[in-house]
Amino acid sequence: MSRNNYVFTSESVSEGHPDKLCDRISDAVLDAFLTEEAHARVACETFATSGMVVIGGEVGLSNQERLKDYMGRISQIARDCIRDIGYEQEQFHWNTCHVLNFLHEQSAHIAQGVDRDGAGDQGIMFGYAVDETPELMPAPILYSHAILRRLAEARKSGKEPTLRPDAKSQLSVRYEDGKPVEVTSIVLSTQHASEDQTSDDIRAIVEPYIREVLPSGWITDKTEWWVNPTGTFVIGGPDGDAGLTGRKIIVDTYGGAAPHGGGAFSGKDPTKVDRSAAYAARYLAKNVVAAGLARRCTLQLSYAIGVAKPLSVYVDTHGTGQVEEAAIERAVQRVMDLTPRGIRTQLELNRPIYQRTAAYGHFGRAPEADGGFSWERTDLADALKKAV
């Protein structure tokens, strides 16, 4: 029997967190190659530490001369990301850090399976949706993201000049009868400009923004506040802690409220089902809930490298379904082609739309006019109703 009364916690990290900076650079490289060629192949990893960024992995274009040309642009792509995030520290500055590029051409052994329209790797992917927020996302992760996004906006606008890029948030949310009703604790650690600033000083800066983004009534007299609980946080970003692409997969998805297949997203072109099939699974789970077939839905897909058809489709509605899970499993396969090519086509994934996903979550975002976050549409809801 599922619990209805409990406290659940999720965390988020800002775009200036070292791991997120690396995700951003990897996705910026991907977008650059997709701008050149819609079927470019990219598997890009980034590592960042004090004064240095290292980029590696494999890429592929049909035109080898253009591939060589793009290789020469990688350093500037990385610097542009670092500058936009806001790093101008003595030990990590967009203009002075070393950028080492070790990208190479895609392995022919991997390409042979993908070129036959098969999956770029084996693996399992999960999608999830729940009706506790308008975005059909779990509340703790959704609002953890919202806090950091709002603080980044205030920092970049110049309204809060003493805030710096590196930050983390964490919300513990109390559920009553299965619905989020109260924040029991707020944890916010943000890099700042001066060692003279105390935790109380930082709380005075960030508290109005936190109250602005959280639903009315969720913060109470009982809510515990932990703002920069260790005190000074001046040394941050890659100068304070090394970063690596793909280390924030729970932050990227559902904040621990749902299973995760294990594969990271950033830096991977959409032939990699780690990314595209996870987007498809979210798309289908969200449409199941939007269609009223369940209040909560977990959907799993599995693939084998070089094989187009998914090996399995599994649905769990956690006791909230209006129809049998098996009927939903059949329906989702009728309304969407779940081969890697079918997913890319339906969600229009062969576009340079990925850099924007690198921070504040891949899910729960508004679909955009140019195809960004297409997996957040609910345009399959009617088709799913008819299919079951």
Side-chain angles (χ1 to χ4, degrees):
M1 181 180 296
S2 62
R3 295 178 63 190
N4 288 322
N5 302 313
Y6 55 91
V7 174
F8 193 83
T9 302
S10 294
E11 70 155 350
S12 178
V13 297
S14 71
E15 63 197 66
H17 185 281
D19 295 333
K20 283 285 127 195
L21 179 141
C22 291
D23 286 347
R24 169 78 175 270
I25 293 172
S26 294
D27 275 335
V29 170
L30 170 60
D31 279 353
F33 277 90
L34 289 176
T35 300
E36 171 65 21
E37 184 177 307
H39 299 286
R41 302 286 166 73
V42 178
C44 177
E45 308 289 344
T46 303
F47 166 75
T49 188
S50 185
M52 182 177 291
V53 172
V54 182
I55 302 169
E58 56 180 34
V59 294
L61 291 174
S62 58
N63 186 321
Q64 292 301 303
E65 290 304 313
R66 294 295 291 166
L67 179 59
K68 292 178 184 177
D69 179 46
Y70 264 74
M71 287 297 196
R73 304 182 189 182
I74 300 302
S75 176
Q76 190 58 49
I77 289 171
R79 294 186 192 282
D80 288 345
C81 291
I82 298 167
R83 178 170 54 185
D84 183 69
I85 289 170
Y87 277 115
E88 295 185 341
Q89 299 170 187
E90 182 178 352
Q91 298 300 320
F92 195 79
H93 193 292
W94 63 269
N95 195 38
T96 59
C97 68
H98 299 284
V99 180
L100 305 180
N101 174 18
F102 295 103
L103 290 169
H104 60 84
E105 188 176 355
Q106 184 186 43
S107 163
H109 293 169
I110 294 176
Q112 65 185 351
V114 178
D115 291 341
R116 293 196 300 264
D117 291 334
D121 201 354
Q122 71 178 51
I124 58 174
M125 300 84 207
F126 286 93
Y128 181 72
V130 62
D131 68 356
E132 64 190 58
T133 62
E135 295 83 359
L136 304 186
M137 281 288 288
I141 187 65
L142 184 74
Y143 290 110
S144 292
H145 289 322
I147 288 168
L148 294 180
R149 191 183 308 117
R150 184 68 187 93
L151 290 176
E153 291 169 357
R155 172 177 61 84
K156 289 183 170 184
S157 71
K159 191 172 182 180
E160 300 298 345
T162 65
L163 296 184
R164 293 294 180 263
D166 195 357
K168 302 178 79 171
S169 65
Q170 183 172 291
L171 287 182
S172 297
V173 178
R174 184 173 68 84
Y175 285 72
E176 191 174 283
D177 294 328
K179 295 292 184 181
V181 296
E182 177 189 8
V183 174
T184 61
S185 68
I186 298 168
V187 183
L188 191 287
S189 294
T190 181
Q191 186 186 12
H192 54 96
S194 172
E195 294 189 5
D196 294 332
Q197 291 175 291
T198 67
S199 296
D200 288 340
D201 294 332
I202 301 303
R203 176 172 173 176
I205 293 171
V206 303
E207 183 172 342
Y209 298 104
I210 294 174
R211 290 184 177 275
E212 176 186 325
V213 300
L214 291 180
S216 176
W218 279 25
I219 297 177
T220 71
D221 292 340
K222 297 180 181 179
T223 301
E224 296 182 354
W225 289 76
W226 302 97
V227 177
N228 281 18
T230 62
T232 304
F233 183 9
V234 172
I235 300 172
D239 187 35
D241 192 11
L244 192 65
T245 298
R247 280 205 299 201
K248 287 293 179 285
I249 58 176
I250 302 303
V251 169
D252 284 342
T253 54
Y254 308 104
H260 195 293
F265 300 158
S266 290
K268 297 178 181 178
D269 73 70
T271 67
K272 281 73 171 174
V273 284
D274 275 346
R275 183 169 216 158
S276 56
Y279 289 173
R282 161 64 178 173
Y283 179 53
L284 291 169
K286 185 174 184 180
N287 276 272
V288 166
V289 175
L293 300 178
R295 292 191 300 103
R296 180 180 170 205
C297 179
T298 299
L299 189 147
Q300 185 204 55
L301 303 172
S302 69
Y303 291 85
I305 188 168
V307 179
K309 185 179 178 181
L311 305 184
S312 65
V313 178
Y314 167 79
V315 169
D316 183 359
T317 57
H318 308 276
T320 70
Q322 300 300 306
V323 297
E324 292 183 354
E325 279 103 340
I328 299 175
E329 290 167 357
R330 292 190 294 269
V332 297
Q333 295 175 83
R334 285 200 290 270
V335 302
M336 184 174 181
D337 178 358
L338 290 173
T339 65
R341 177 183 286 274
I343 292 170
R344 296 195 302 274
T345 299
Q346 176 128 1
L347 297 180
E348 301 175 289
L349 297 180
N350 291 109
R351 302 184 183 196
I353 56 173
Y354 297 103
Q355 189 176 169
R356 70 195 72 170
T357 70
Y360 314 121
H362 292 245
F363 307 130
R365 312 281 287 272
E368 298 177 348
D370 66 350
F373 302 103
S374 59
W375 49 92
E376 291 298 312
R377 301 187 309 237
T378 54
D379 54 344
L380 279 186
D382 288 341
L384 281 168
K385 288 179 186 178
K386 293 176 183 177
V388 297

